Amino acid sequence: MDLESFQIKPIQRITKYPLLLGDLLKHTPSSHPDHECLVKALNMIKSVVQDVNEAKARHENRQKIFKLQQSFIPKSIPTELFQPHRALLITGTMHFKKQDETYKTNGLMYLFNDALLLAKPGWRKNVFIDFLLLS
């Protein structure tokens, strides 16, 4: 197994605990002395699994932003994309056209929770166009 497989193993196991506890609870009579403890344990593990899933999603989003920062020509973006509070919400392509010209060019749009980044795809790296902070 590779390193990534070992890293994901604890997460895979923890997501199985609610299923195991739920099944155990289903087969435990409500009059059993452990029934109430099983209910509490099930609620607690569901909360832990939710926290783990949210942390994993935040980490993956940070990785996307880091890779996005690396996809630009070095020092072409006037701001650091990677911020602790920043989340990448959506990416897409668009067409740029000047008002008085018929020339169109493909562009890239990155919407964050607090900003909008516009860029053009380059040959090897993306080319920065504009960065707008949303208030």
Side-chain angles (χ1 to χ4, degrees):
M1 272 208 287
D2 62 343
L3 180 60
E4 195 170 299
S5 298
F6 281 112
Q7 290 175 328
I8 195 77
K9 206 70 164 157
I11 293 170
Q12 290 172 335
R13 285 190 183 138
I14 201 165
T15 57
K16 292 179 182 176
Y17 293 148
L19 301 173
L20 176 67
L21 285 172
D23 197 40
L24 185 59
L25 188 59
K26 189 167 56 173
H27 292 92
T28 304
S30 58
S31 60
H32 193 279
D34 291 335
H35 187 271
E36 190 176 322
C37 289
L38 286 171
V39 170
K40 287 180 184 176
L42 179 59
N43 290 333
M44 289 172 71
I45 196 66
K46 282 182 177 178
S47 176
V48 168
V49 168
Q50 182 178 355
D51 291 347
V52 167
N53 287 338
E54 289 171 1
K56 184 175 181 268
R58 282 191 305 273
H59 176 73
E60 288 171 352
N61 195 283
R62 287 185 186 120
Q63 283 182 320
K64 286 180 187 176
I65 293 172
F66 182 75
K67 285 182 181 178
L68 177 62
Q69 178 87 35
Q70 300 301 314
S71 75
F72 282 89
I73 296 170
K75 299 180 183 174
S76 68
I77 302 177
T79 186
E80 182 71 26
L81 289 181
F82 195 78
Q83 298 291 329
H85 67 279
R86 187 162 290 147
L88 180 61
L89 304 178
I90 192 167
T91 64
T93 57
M94 54 193 298
H95 298 288
F96 295 114
K97 178 183 171 187
K98 290 187 178 180
Q99 287 180 338
D100 56 347
E101 295 182 22
T102 58
Y103 174 74
K104 291 182 188 176
T105 184
N106 289 332
L108 304 169
M109 185 246 349
Y110 303 93
L111 179 63
F112 298 91
N113 60 322
D114 66 338
L116 177 67
L117 171 65
L118 303 175
K120 289 189 308 187
W123 184 58
R124 289 189 182 191
K125 297 274 189 174
N126 293 330
V127 179
F128 169 79
I129 293 178
D130 204 357
F131 185 80
L132 308 164
L133 284 175
L134 307 174
S135 53

